[in-house]
Amino acid sequence: VIVQRTTNYQPRRAYYQGLIPVMPMWLAVTCLLLNICGSGLGTIVAAFSVFCCASFQQQGQQTCGVFISNFFIGLFQIALFFFLIGWIWAIIWGALFVSLSSQYYQASLYKHQAPVVQTTSTVTGY
């Protein structure tokens, strides 16, 4: 007896990921570098990118809402820089820019589908 089980796993998205704009890879890397060199600067640049070249992951998000959220997050990152919390937050946020842009790019290569991981397990018995 052979039993085959296939599981589709699709990662859940957190609410904050809907606030992170999906930018072209070159811009995402630039924003990450700006966040490393100057806490919050890359996040503010990413906020302005929603008006020209970025998209959102979640449907129903408004351009102005994403802009305002990222702009104020960038300001908070600058304000908290002296406590190192803002700098670490900015680096994590910049890494999310690159990660989400990479996921979007890879998904667009596969007919604009969300990334799906398939696992197959086989059990044999007598």
Side-chain angles (χ1 to χ4, degrees), residues 32-116:
L32 170 61
L33 294 175
L34 284 172
N35 274 345
I36 292 171
C37 296
S39 176
L41 295 178
T43 305
I44 292 174
V45 169
F48 284 101
S49 75
V50 300
F51 294 119
C52 63
C53 58
S55 61
F56 322 123
Q57 285 231 317
Q58 292 181 359
Q59 298 296 330
Q61 293 284 350
Q62 299 294 324
T63 303
C64 288
V66 173
F67 167 76
I68 290 170
S69 297
N70 278 283
F71 187 79
F72 281 110
I73 287 170
L75 290 179
F76 289 141
Q77 290 170 348
I78 291 170
L80 295 173
F81 170 74
F82 297 105
F83 301 109
L84 291 180
I85 295 170
W87 188 55
I88 294 169
W89 182 15
I91 292 172
I92 292 171
W93 207 253
L96 286 171
F97 292 149
V98 174
S99 175
L100 291 178
S101 295
S102 175
Q103 288 176 10
Y104 180 80
Y105 174 73
Q106 289 175 355
S108 68
L109 290 177
Y110 298 105
K111 300 179 185 177
H112 301 289
Q113 294 177 354
V116 174

